[in-house]
Amino acid sequence: EAQVTQNPRYLITVTGKKLTVTCSQNMNHEYMSWYRQDPGLGLRQIYYSMNVEVTDKGDVPEGYKVSRKEKRNFPLILESPSPNQTSLYFCASSLRPGTGARIDNSPLHFGNGTRLTVT
Amino acid sequence: AQSVAQPEDQVNVAEGNPLTVKCTYSVSGNPYLFWYVQYPNRGLQFLLKYITGDNLVKGSYGFEAEFNKSQTSFHLKKPSALVSDSALYFCAVRHNAGNNRKLIWGLGTSLAVNP
């Protein structure tokens, strides 16, 4: 089954304790992205990756790191979590979104989310 | 600035009645428009998209959306609502700028279908 798998689904941690949220997709997608979802703020992009070893900041990258060493995996790393990073996180993937003048409008496939609480 | 607006935080409809979830956008150039649905405790799922061509596009679960260029709108519709349609709906637009091709998201509309 084609899917984006995030782990864990729920995570409670304390301020400053490094954590990693894993994301894996089995669709051979080039593009992967992390979002956070907060009430009243909708979805905000944290980081994205156009392909292996190619990552870039989204709208709210502060306090987060990512890596893309393999095509299928795109972990989100919080080196020193803080309470304002309490949120619902989603990983998403798609075929390449296009470059230059060409836009590939393949839809995003989302994981089921990770609810993170930082106390 | 590029933006997407979903003017209603919540929409309530009775089962069997038609439903509309509104979306308006402001982007430069030709917009590429999407609707996604989020069921409780799940990630977003793609419903439908407008790229070009016929202004009425059909998608999953009996949903359709109408692109109106003059009104810069892309409203989601369904002729007969089901209780199982109750969910959070997001409108998004992608524009031709930069390499991110990122989507600009609306804040979502919560749809409640009452039996």
Side-chain angles (χ1 to χ4, degrees):
Chain A
E1 179 188 355
Q3 59 185 359
V4 178
T5 303
Q6 287 180 238
N7 280 297
R9 288 295 306 275
Y10 301 91
L11 180 57
I12 301 174
T13 190
V14 296
T15 300
K17 186 176 182 181
K18 181 180 178 180
L19 66 90
T20 299
V21 183
T22 63
C23 174
S24 180
Q25 51 91 6
N26 62 1
M27 295 167 281
N28 203 34
H29 284 166
E30 295 177 356
Y31 182 87
M32 297 186 75
S33 181
W34 276 102
Y35 292 90
R36 59 179 291 174
Q37 184 179 21
D38 301 287
L41 297 176
L43 283 165
R44 294 181 292 170
Q45 190 181 48
I46 303 170
Y47 269 93
Y48 66 96
S49 170
M50 298 286 277
N51 213 326
V52 175
E53 301 291 2
V54 181
T55 64
D56 211 340
K57 297 177 181 179
D59 298 317
V60 289
E62 294 78 20
Y64 304 95
K65 287 175 57 178
V66 293
S67 69
R68 188 89 182 273
K69 297 177 182 176
E70 307 164 280
K71 198 170 188 178
R72 63 184 294 128
N73 295 323
F74 190 46
L76 179 70
I77 303 156
L78 284 71
E79 294 272 2
S80 183
S82 62
N84 65 12
Q85 292 178 298
T86 292
S87 186
L88 180 58
Y89 291 86
F90 289 102
C91 179
S93 72
S94 74
L95 293 170
R96 61 194 178 282
T99 56
R102 188 179 69 83
I103 293 182
D104 182 328
N105 286 291
S106 303
L108 285 169
H109 297 255
F110 284 82
N112 283 331
T114 296
R115 186 166 292 281
L116 172 65
T117 302
V118 184
T119 61
Chain B
Q2 325 278 359
S3 65
V4 174
Q6 293 181 240
E8 301 157 317
D9 290 336
Q10 179 144 352
V11 171
N12 295 289
V13 298
E15 187 174 29
N17 283 1
L19 70 86
T20 298
V21 182
K22 296 179 181 177
C23 172
T24 60
Y25 64 90
S26 173
V27 296
S28 56
N30 293 321
Y32 301 85
L33 296 151
F34 300 79
W35 276 102
Y36 286 79
V37 60
Q38 184 181 22
Y39 297 104
N41 298 316
R42 299 295 299 273
L44 283 72
Q45 298 177 31
F46 168 74
L47 272 180
L48 50 78
K49 66 182 178 183
Y50 172 81
I51 305 303
T52 187
D54 193 348
N55 289 342
L56 185 66
V57 294
K58 295 188 184 297
S60 306
Y61 312 120
F63 283 93
E64 57 190 28
E66 186 168 12
F67 172 65
N68 187 317
K69 188 172 183 177
S70 63
Q71 297 186 2
T72 61
S73 68
F74 189 55
H75 300 333
L76 181 69
K77 300 181 180 184
K78 187 172 183 180
S80 178
L82 300 172
V83 173
S84 57
D85 292 330
S86 299
L88 189 57
Y89 291 82
F90 289 93
C91 180
V93 61
R94 175 175 281 149
H95 63 110
N96 184 12
N99 286 325
N100 186 3
R101 300 288 190 261
K102 75 174 185 180
L103 288 167
I104 300 170
W105 296 88
L107 295 184
T109 297
S110 179
L111 172 67
V113 181
N114 307 305

